[in-house]
Amino acid sequence: MKISITFILLIIVCAFPTEAQIFTPEYLALADSADQCIKKEKWPEAEQYIRKALKTEPANKSNYLMWANLGMVCSYQNNHRGALEAYTIGLSTAPRSTSLLTNRAASYLAVGLNREALEDLTTALEVDSTLQRARKLRGITLATLDQGEKALQDFDKYEADFGEDATIADLRGNIMLKKQQPVEALKYFKKSYRLEPEESTALKLLTTAYLSGHLEEERDILEECIKKYERNGNFYLLRAALNRMLYQTSAMESDLKTAQRLGADKRLSDMIFK
């Protein structure tokens, strides 16, 4: 979430006039310049202004706002280690900031520190159980850590509060596959594809349909994907599997040749045509 530093600082000045002297004109000017750069997505320039402001008033109690935006700016530049450092410094003075906790968790996830992310997200939700982003991220993190049942609890809560979500439906499908429930998994992959018709979701949906014996029922989606992703050999491979089931040998052989020419996944091919 993009935080307007200048706006928040001015609110503090108005609310606590006895502390207004801590915000020097130089500090506020640098904060405003940083805000303008953030609005224009000029990340390197925004970072420079924020760091100058922090050096101008290193003891300012409101610097956690600066550190929050510095972390965000670093994240947009794929400097996740820098983001982690910024969020951690901000949390040293504002340990219950849900924004800082959630953003640091996202940075932890970006560098593969999933357990650390889970800890931050749990703390954020203890502070405010209605947080949308933190709830979704914790569910994703739990699923990544193979804590499927706990992930499903977060997903249930998320969808009850905020509605359907393609990513959550996809992850529900993954969890059902791990539980050896391919028919349930197929239901969730179809839901995810309906919400966001992504190529990767379609392939997962159709592969699961094949494994569960329901590929013929999903023929319309298969044909749609062949037209839409005509350079993806895996969809031709799955249609070849369908044609084999329907005893259409010549069509099967034609699709197999096309699949091979387009570089279909050998593991999928070996699984279908052992």
Side-chain angles (χ1 to χ4, degrees), residues 9 11 34 45 110 115 143 148 159 181 216 228 233 240-241 255 257:
L9 292 179
I11 289 177
E45 293 89 339
R115 295 191 182 281
E159 291 186 321
Q181 297 179 28
E216 187 173 3
K228 194 173 180 180
D255 278 339
K257 289 180 181 178

Side-chain angles (χ1 to χ4, degrees), residues 170 173-174 177 186 189 199-209:
D170 183 77
N174 290 344
L177 282 180
L186 177 59
F189 292 143
E199 183 176 3
S200 58
T201 306
L203 183 58
K204 193 183 297 186
L205 183 166
L206 292 166
T207 302
T208 304

